[in-house]
Amino acid sequence: MRLLVAVLCVVAGAEAAHAQRVAKYGADFLAGGVGARALGMGGAYISVADDVYAGFWNPAGLPGVKAQEVSYMHAERFSGIVSFDYAGFAIPFSEQSVLGISLIRSGVNDIKNTLDAWDSERDQPIPDPESVITTFSAADYAFLIAYGKQVSESLSFGVTSKIIRRNIGEFATAWGYSMDVGIRYLTGSWQLGMTVQDVTTMLQSWSVDTGRLSNIRDVFGDDLPEGGTELVLPVVRMGASRLFDVRPGTLRLAMDTDLAFDGATANHLSLGGMAIHPRLGAELIVAEKIAFRAGFNRIQNVKDEGLDLTPSLGTGFRWGRAAIDYGFGDFAGLVSDLGYSHRISAQYRFSD
């Protein structure tokens, strides 16, 4: 079974394509987001981000960082099958401009490679197949450099440059490059934000080591996949949030909407060929130390089933310059049974 998963990953990730084609899920490992606070709010964070995580969500929020900040998040997705790690750093250049750096890895480890364990002539496993079975990882990496600048008391803008590295063991690798741009506007108790993700359109170039896949033809009778290029189209991400003074603290309500144009409209709200991905979130902060969060990170219209809401929950604790956050997400919606996701992140500010 794991061999089939590995082969399908190779075929899906590096389908024979000498001409450029649009990838529906070309950088989907970034779609889940970073930071347990943001994910506990259902990912409705485009207008909220004003900390080290803004380098990922909306670089226009980076001017909210007034001192050096570091952060780290670990998440287990799909019942622990996929591990996700994020590390971020933000440093102010001045009161108006901030630089952010982020590193991300998402991967499946210890996948068994049984290609050499099958005797195609006899149509059965070789003697002592365990002796030739090895393991490999399928992993995606992202390196982000972001810059945010305060233009006026209310308006800021930012840009993020991204380098993507993807590999499926020693079978296939890819590089991708793109850029995000964002703006953020504050008015009264309202916060508004917008990010155009992959505004330059990401170009991913795949390279496949066909020599390591020669047994696929013998076993399955299929043509070997070849290297090629694919395009990841821009996504417009808009958000709005508002603060309310309540007892015993502060309540924040947020809503984001993503507009995607890659044609992946199955089970999503859509308008023509455009997919619409709304997210809702709420955060209650008590005594500026303890936070309780909830949201919906996926709102879908599933065929023959109706509206499908995927909830998320979270909590957080801040003590001085340090903060610890936890988020819990449910991936077991109507359309699949993929288990739960736990996210834990830590954040530290070096000075007040």
Side-chain angles (χ1 to χ4, degrees), residues 115-174:
L115 286 174
D116 295 329
W118 186 261
D119 187 336
S120 58
E121 293 183 359
R122 300 169 58 211
D123 198 27
Q124 64 183 33
I126 66 172
D128 190 22
E130 294 293 334
S131 64
V132 297
I133 293 177
T134 59
T135 60
F136 67 94
S137 298
D140 298 315
Y141 301 85
F143 176 60
L144 284 64
I145 300 179
Y147 174 78
K149 183 175 179 60
Q150 194 76 38
V151 178
S152 66
E153 184 177 348
S154 301
L155 181 65
S156 60
F157 77 92
V159 60
T160 299
S161 296
K162 299 190 293 188
I163 301 175
I164 306 298
R165 171 69 169 176
R166 312 183 71 185
N167 70 272
I168 304 171
E170 298 179 344
F171 304 110
T173 59

Side-chain angles (χ1 to χ4, degrees), residues 7-324:
V7 172
L8 289 174
C9 284
V10 173
V11 174
E15 178 183 340
H18 294 290
Q20 296 177 357
R21 64 185 180 89
V22 174
K24 292 185 178 181
Y25 307 102
D28 205 48
F29 74 101
L30 297 176
V34 301
R37 179 193 178 197
L39 300 178
M41 296 175 63
Y45 209 65
I46 295 297
S47 66
V48 178
D50 61 357
D51 53 13
V52 62
Y53 297 106
F56 174 89
W57 292 97
N58 184 355
L62 279 173
V65 178
K66 302 306 180 184
Q68 294 182 20
E69 290 185 13
V70 294
S71 59
Y72 173 76
M73 184 190 88
H74 177 74
E76 297 287 340
R77 294 177 170 173
F78 309 122
S79 298
I81 296 176
V82 179
S83 62
F84 185 95
D85 292 278
Y86 158 89
F89 177 69
I91 177 171
F93 284 149
S94 66
E95 293 184 359
Q96 290 78 34
S97 59
V98 178
L99 176 72
I101 298 175
S102 304
L103 294 171
I104 296 172
R105 181 191 185 274
S106 177
V108 179
N109 303 315
D110 298 324
I111 302 172
K112 289 189 176 181
N113 174 15
T114 60
L115 286 174
D116 295 329
W118 186 261
D119 187 336
S120 58
E121 293 183 359
R122 300 169 58 211
D123 198 27
Q124 64 183 33
I126 66 172
D128 190 22
E130 294 293 334
S131 64
V132 297
I133 293 177
T134 59
T135 60
F136 67 94
S137 298
D140 298 315
Y141 301 85
F143 176 60
L144 284 64
I145 300 179
Y147 174 78
K149 183 175 179 60
Q150 194 76 38
V151 178
S152 66
E153 184 177 348
S154 301
L155 181 65
S156 60
F157 77 92
V159 60
T160 299
S161 296
K162 299 190 293 188
I163 301 175
I164 306 298
R165 171 69 169 176
R166 312 183 71 185
N167 70 272
I168 304 171
E170 298 179 344
F171 304 110
T173 59
W175 287 96
Y177 310 90
S178 71
M179 184 177 294
D180 302 345
V181 297
I183 60 172
R184 188 167 182 257
Y185 184 76
L186 310 180
T187 174
S189 57
W190 284 91
Q191 299 168 311
L192 307 175
M194 183 177 72
T195 300
V196 182
Q197 183 177 293
D198 300 318
V199 64
T200 56
T201 300
M202 180 186 293
L203 175 65
Q204 290 189 11
S205 300
W206 280 95
S207 176
V208 179
D209 189 340
T210 56
R212 296 183 180 276
L213 297 174
S214 58
N215 283 355
I216 291 181
R217 182 185 292 114
D218 297 334
V219 176
F220 297 102
D222 294 330
D223 292 333
L224 293 180
E226 300 176 0
T229 58
E230 57 186 17
L231 302 176
V232 179
L233 298 182
V235 176
V236 179
R237 314 185 74 180
M238 301 177 292
S241 59
R242 186 177 181 183
L243 289 171
F244 300 88
D245 290 326
V246 298
R247 291 186 178 183
T250 303
L251 174 67
R252 185 192 307 272
L253 299 180
M255 178 179 180
D256 281 8
T257 301
D258 293 355
L259 306 179
F261 308 91
D262 57 7
T265 57
N267 295 323
H268 294 299
L269 305 177
S270 62
L271 180 63
M274 179 179 65
I276 303 172
H277 307 273
R279 298 185 300 276
L280 300 174
E283 177 184 52
L284 176 64
I285 300 177
V286 180
E288 298 184 356
K289 293 185 180 296
I290 301 175
F292 302 94
R293 306 176 183 113
F296 292 101
N297 61 0
R298 188 175 63 191
I299 302 174
Q300 299 183 137
N301 185 27
V302 181
K303 185 178 180 180
D304 300 327
E305 296 289 347
L307 192 64
D308 178 24
L309 304 178
T310 303
S312 61
L313 298 171
T315 187
F317 179 75
R318 179 175 293 277
W319 183 263
R321 301 174 185 172
I324 299 292

